[in-house]
Amino acid sequence: MPIINFIIYLLTMIGIYSLLAMSLNFQVGFTGLINFGQVAFFCIGAYTSSLLVVNAGVPVVVAFLVAMALSGIFGYIMSIPTKSLKSDYWAIATLASGEIVRLVALNEAWLTAGPFGVMGIPQILKDLIPKDAYPVFYLLFVIACIIMVYIFLSMLTNSPFGRNLKAIRDEEELCLSLGKDTQKLKLQAMIVAGTVGGLAGSLFAFYIQFISPENFKPIETFLMWAMIIVGGRGNFKGAIIGAVVIQLFNVSTRFLGNYVPLGSDSMAALRMTIIGVLIILFLLFRPEGLIKEKKKVYD
Amino acid sequence: MDIAQILINTLVRAAELSLLAIGLTMVFDILKFANFAHTDYAVLGALFAYVFNRILGLNLFLAIILAAFVTGWVGILIDQAIFKRLRKIGAKPVTLMITSMGTAIALRNLMRLIWTSHTKTYAIPLQKPLEILGARITPLQIGIIVVGLLSMIAFHLLLHRTTFGKALRAISDNSDLANACAIDSEKMIKRMWFLASAYGVIGGSMIAMEHLLYPRLGFDIIIPVFCATILGGIGNPYGAMLGALTLAFAENLILALDLAPLINLGGLFNVGSIQISTGYKPAISFMILIIVLLFKPTGILRKK
Amino acid sequence: MRKYALMLAITIMCLIMGFGVASAADTFKIGGLVPITGTQAVMAEDLSTGLKLAEEEVNAAGGVLGMPVQVIIEDTETRPAPGMDAARKLIDVDKVKVLTGGFSSGVSLPIAKLCQSKGILFVVGPPTSPLFADVGDFVFMMDVLDKFKGKEIVDFAVGDSGKKKFGLMFMNNAFGMALREETINNLKAQGAEVTTDVVYELNKVDYKAELQRLFAKKPEVIIGTWYAKEGMVTAKQAYEMGFLEVNKVPWYCPEMVSSYATAVKEIPDALEGVKGLTPLPPGLLYTEKFKKKMGRDPITAYAAMNYDAVIMIAMAANFANSTDPAKIRDALWKIDDFYRGQSTGGDKRFVGGGVQGFGKYERTIIKGGKIVPY
């Protein structure tokens, strides 16, 4: 059943984007950090893990961990200017830093093979899994990662740490006056988000088995934003639902193309127009997204 | 290094960028949010000018003025339909910024839907360059610099010699107080959108005239425009001009710089020549942007 | 609210499934990958037309094994992830056994690997990366490898100009960088010197600083390649800065049609005297057909690769008397003797790794607003 293969593929990609959306949601929805350079984590994670395995022969598990750590460190670096910058200024700076990461991957050909991309990324546990079952195995692997991240992030956000983050988002001034070190909290949040983004990048690289700088253009960040705006911020179910909706919408036009009297270029333009309009409509009329954040009342 | 040529290239680019940066800085100043759709308004206008010029056969100069007028209204309409609603429900500036990102995506692709992705050119013949001090400049480029300068002077007069300009400055300084003084903020905001969009169209059309025009152009120029705006100090139109000039100069100079003399230390070493790879050219405006934000987020010129 | 979300997701899913299964059975389907959106969108119409022209022609000649051929075009968005979506959809949902097209090597390479692992035939159209040769026996290439193009342009430029100091300008993507490497190697082998080596980012509107850098060290000859948009901007700006004076510093371009299709129409005076390589005359046959269908000149020579690919696939399927990809693959090796291609290089003949082994080009010059034989 080839169509099942397509669905499995689709679900795997949705899973990988869910992780990215969850990471972004953790920054935007919980901490109020407006990151327009989210794709940088994705890029760093993908490049680090695949280069370690392909060029240095490091075991995959170690490569994944290093990739997550490096993305986390990049998150830390990105968080430093939040100390002095207003959130909108910081947002613009993140957009720029996302592009700089891609340009480094593109231009430092001695390390990344530049525009040619990294070839020959191996499949994880290839020898142990029968070839026909591999797509299902990888989907399960991605789902397992999502569950772990989901539990981890939920625990984190329900802890005092998470409540402090939400306090920053809602009332930073108040938070500061209560003597909380908001800078430190933001910094920790960015490290966590970066780590999750790095995991998503690694999963992506080892699934597609080829990465190039073209994977990491700013449009990826905008799609992740569309996911969390549609799905709803401040909870992780929203991020997953958003990833499902946006990814399905994206592929659905491939199938509707034969039934709508429009050329392919127009069809694609229409698709992106609708995503843009969707973002506007949600922010105007349903700012909380499809899944509303459950606000707990603390005494 | 050919300093004269670098200076000419800088002036042309600065004239184009600063007209775009002025509009951006005004909106940022009055409504407190970074409008990511700003350069797309400019491209929309440039495309209108293309329609008037190439399809309706209008004189290019008139076509651009007309397009600026039409796009000014589009700016007001989008504000009424989207941003005003958000202002009314008291949305945070950050929400407005994200909404503008959505607007930019929608608008850019709508343009693609209407005009296709193909590149377009105005009806201007190829220009023979003139030689000044060993550097080349075309009549069109001289025109761009002149129009740029005239637009700035017009803007200065508008801001300081008209009641609208005074009201705008009042709102910028303190919107509550301005309201109390019976200044109709919403009316002023409408006029401000008109002005910002129209100025953007002039800048966008100049870029289209000198280079190329296609629907995605807005996205390709947004970072330099943001960079010029922030570099100059948000809310300060003169800063926007200065920022554009600085950025344009850096863009043209950095690729021409040879760092080897610094390292050779007057003959101690000989490393040949060290130049930044041209592949990093797009990173120049990003780097400048980040450095400015890190070390001087208020920009070169502080708001008066 | 969660109900809504679920409903929305299910509706979309149903749409996909519903539309997915509705397709006719007795046609010979070929998947065509085209970068309809994204950075190379300008060329999409041409690339699709190349596929469609071949489809019409094959069907007029009786189709494949009595079945009509249908080329299903999917958008790669010039990004690897949607490119993968497109290929998976073609293979799994439309159940095509043969793919063609592609544009950017970065997008097409993972698809080639996927095809190899699934036993799907992929006749790569425009991409020229030598890496495709290593993927496996189900992957063929229609374009000539960069090394032929690189050698040819260097032979032309060195022999014709008689000069030794070269300035290079190539785009920063897989295609440009591979061609640049071949050009540099060939220049060195000929004892020429590379004074400046500029790589540029696509989709910018201002290349003055790059041009300034290109001419800073006074090169005597320029070799460079562009796509239509960048070719237009660069030519115009080089002309305005007084750099495009071919009497002083001659310009050579390995891809005349792709680089200058727009520019030669809009600003012919600037390009007067620029020399370079163009597909051999058989390509003109394709050009005529294209003009008849679209009412305009093609803006890229790459589309002819797609045209050749579809025709050769159909020929091979007829020759093999089968639609099985492995049989078509074997037949491709045999029918290549009978087909004179329309695209760059002319004679289509596969050598080791399924790549084109024969690079033939015509040396051309721009005169009076036209690309004519030199």
Side-chain angles (χ1 to χ4, degrees), chain B residues 23-303:
Chain B
L24 189 67
T25 212
M26 259 198 289
V27 175
F28 211 149
D29 187 30
I30 304 290
L31 300 178
K32 311 292 174 217
F33 79 98
N35 181 15
F36 274 82
H38 184 69
T39 51
D40 294 292
Y41 289 8
V43 174
L44 179 70
L47 282 165
F48 282 147
Y50 165 81
V51 172
F52 299 146
N53 176 235
R54 270 266 162 122
I55 297 173
L56 304 182
L58 218 61
N59 170 289
L60 182 59
F61 194 70
L62 284 176
I64 293 175
I65 301 282
L66 193 58
F69 188 78
V70 174
T71 316
W73 276 102
V74 172
I76 295 177
L77 279 179
I78 294 179
D79 179 59
Q80 295 292 309
I82 302 172
F83 299 120
K84 193 181 172 189
R85 287 168 189 272
L86 287 168
R87 279 202 299 280
K88 270 199 173 149
I89 56 173
K92 285 185 195 167
V94 175
T95 311
L96 281 136
M97 178 174 72
I98 299 166
T99 314
S100 77
M101 188 84 100
T103 313
I105 295 173
L107 194 57
R108 196 179 305 140
N109 285 284
L110 196 61
M111 290 191 273
R112 226 176 71 195
L113 205 57
I114 300 171
W115 281 285
T116 75
S117 308
H118 285 268
T119 47
K120 285 151 192 67
T121 46
Y122 295 129
I124 327 171
L126 188 66
Q127 309 256 317
K128 259 218 158 349
L130 314 167
E131 200 169 325
I132 297 170
L133 300 169
R136 312 286 177 118
I137 187 165
T138 63
L140 175 67
Q141 289 168 334
I142 297 177
I144 287 177
I145 297 174
V146 170
V147 170
L149 272 175
L150 288 178
S151 309
M152 312 293 176
I153 295 170
F155 187 80
H156 173 83
L157 293 178
L158 192 80
L159 212 55
H160 291 271
R161 298 285 161 83
T162 63
T163 37
F164 164 61
K166 281 173 193 154
L168 206 60
R169 284 188 291 149
I171 299 172
S172 155
D173 289 340
N174 188 333
S175 60
D176 294 336
L177 197 66
N179 266 331
C181 298
I183 293 174
D184 183 352
S185 294
E186 279 302 326
K187 195 169 150 198
M188 292 303 145
I189 288 173
K190 267 191 197 167
R191 290 183 180 179
M192 187 248 347
W193 273 110
F194 184 86
L195 202 62
S197 313
Y199 260 79
V201 171
I202 299 173
S205 304
M206 295 202 310
I207 291 184
M209 261 192 276
E210 217 223 337
H211 312 286
L212 276 182
L213 177 60
Y214 50 95
R216 234 181 69 103
L217 176 64
F219 183 71
D220 291 339
I221 53 176
I222 190 156
I223 290 289
V225 174
F226 265 99
C227 184
T229 308
I230 293 175
L231 190 58
I234 283 169
N236 189 327
Y238 311 105
M241 300 171 204
L242 195 64
L245 205 59
T246 318
L247 174 69
F249 186 60
E251 278 185 334
N252 281 293
L253 183 73
I254 288 177
L255 280 191
L257 270 187
D258 189 344
L259 303 174
L262 288 179
I263 297 169
N264 290 347
L265 296 175
L268 271 180
F269 305 96
N270 188 5
V271 291
S273 73
I274 297 176
Q275 290 186 305
I276 289 165
S277 159
T278 46
Y280 278 115
K281 189 197 169 197
I284 293 173
S285 49
F286 301 145
M287 282 313 291
I288 294 176
L289 182 65
I290 290 178
I291 292 169
V292 170
L293 283 177
L294 283 184
F295 296 105
K296 200 156 173 30
T298 48
I300 308 174
L301 291 187
R302 197 176 275 276
K303 200 181 147 185

Side-chain angles (χ1 to χ4, degrees), chain C residues 97-256:
Chain C
K97 297 280 180 243
V98 188
L99 281 180
T100 184
F103 190 82
S104 158
S105 298
V107 178
S108 306
L109 262 171
I111 296 173
K113 294 194 116 188
L114 175 79
C115 289
Q116 179 67 29
S117 73
K118 291 195 155 210
I120 301 287
L121 191 65
F122 186 14
V123 183
V124 181
T128 53
S129 166
L131 295 172
F132 285 103
D134 307 330
V135 176
D137 57 341
F138 277 94
V139 178
F140 289 80
M141 285 175 84
M142 293 312 292
D143 202 353
V144 182
L145 287 185
D146 305 318
K147 63 179 176 193
F148 296 104
K149 227 176 274 171
K151 180 163 176 3
E152 187 68 25
I153 192 67
V154 169
D155 285 350
F156 184 22
V158 172
D160 186 62
S161 69
K163 291 174 179 166
K164 289 283 176 197
K165 288 167 90 176
F166 282 77
L168 307 182
M169 186 162 178
F170 287 92
M171 63 202 80
N172 201 357
N173 67 7
F175 167 68
M177 288 302 97
L179 195 53
R180 159 178 168 269
E181 214 172 293
E182 291 297 337
T183 307
I184 292 176
N185 291 343
N186 279 294
L187 281 171
K188 281 189 182 144
Q190 301 244 14
E193 180 197 347
V194 177
T195 56
T196 16
D197 170 20
V198 169
V199 297
Y200 64 90
E201 179 92 349
L202 293 168
N203 297 306
K204 295 284 167 251
V205 287
D206 188 355
Y207 291 107
K208 287 184 207 149
E210 282 90 339
L211 286 164
Q212 195 79 43
R213 172 85 160 257
L214 181 63
F215 279 84
K217 294 219 177 102
K218 313 265 177 269
E220 295 166 346
V221 194
I222 301 297
I223 297 180
T225 191
W226 296 270
Y227 294 128
K229 196 160 80 185
E230 292 77 13
M232 165 91 185
V233 177
T234 317
K236 191 174 170 201
Q237 294 180 344
Y239 176 81
E240 288 171 357
M241 290 163 81
F243 290 146
L244 225 174
E245 290 175 23
V246 288
N247 299 327
K248 290 184 196 153
V249 180
W251 284 56
Y252 294 88
C253 170
E255 294 275 344
M256 289 287 259

Side-chain angles (χ1 to χ4, degrees), chain C residues 9-90:
Chain C
I10 290 171
T11 317
I12 297 177
M13 204 78 175
C14 288
L15 278 177
I16 292 176
M17 301 297 105
F19 289 116
V21 287
S23 52
D26 41 359
T27 50
F28 178 63
K29 288 187 277 190
I30 300 176
L33 299 164
V34 178
I36 293 165
T37 43
T39 50
Q40 300 311 330
V42 198
M43 280 177 263
E45 195 176 63
D46 275 46
L47 294 165
S48 306
T49 307
L51 294 167
K52 286 288 167 197
L53 275 176
E55 181 196 75
E56 284 165 18
E57 208 159 296
V58 171
N59 286 336
V64 168
L65 305 174
M67 294 184 283
V69 167
Q70 185 196 0
V71 179
I72 306 173
I73 293 174
E74 279 295 330
D75 185 10
T76 65
E77 298 179 26
T78 330
R79 291 191 297 134
M84 200 48 116
D85 289 353
R88 295 263 185 179
K89 185 247 169 186
L90 285 168

